[in-house]
Amino acid sequence: MAAKIKKGDKVVVLAGRDKGKTGEVLQVLPKDARAVVRGVNLVKRHTKQSPQSEGGIISKEATIDLSNIAVADPKDGKATRVGFKVLDDGRKVRFAKPSGDLIEC
């Protein structure tokens, strides 16, 4: 099955404390149906100092459920549903249902 949300997509958060925020998908975890989105669902982590990193309280993105995010329409940036179609040259592409614009990624 083709993925509706992929790494690099611009998405809008539909539910939760970050509702309405937009960000770029950094990672998708299909088995868990979750994704990591830049600037969304930030959590504080108390980390111990190591040779590679400094210790202290670090803010980082936690995963968010795929049902709580939607791809942003390329035309107006609003949340949109995603459809699939096969072009004349044989490529299968994703498109925004309301506007019909192709989703580039």
Side-chain angles (χ1 to χ4, degrees), residues 5-78:
I5 296 176
K6 295 183 177 183
K7 181 179 175 180
D9 283 351
K10 297 280 182 227
V11 295
V12 180
V13 180
L14 303 175
R17 69 171 183 223
D18 292 322
K19 182 177 180 176
K21 282 190 182 177
T22 59
E24 180 187 350
V25 176
L26 301 175
Q27 183 183 11
V28 179
L29 307 167
K31 283 186 179 175
D32 303 328
R34 298 183 79 79
V36 178
V37 181
R38 179 175 284 128
V40 172
N41 199 21
L42 292 173
V43 293
K44 302 276 190 189
R45 287 287 176 255
H46 294 68
T47 58
K48 201 172 184 181
Q49 188 171 356
S50 70
Q52 290 83 23
S53 65
E54 207 172 306
I57 302 171
I58 294 173
S59 194
K60 61 184 265 184
E61 291 97 355
T63 60
I64 186 169
D65 201 273
L66 288 178
S67 65
N68 294 333
I69 58 177
V71 175
D73 195 319
K75 197 173 264 183
D76 58 11
K78 292 182 181 175

Side-chain angles (χ1 to χ4, degrees), residues 86-93:
V86 179
L87 299 178
D88 295 334
D89 60 2
R91 289 185 302 140
K92 185 177 182 181
V93 294

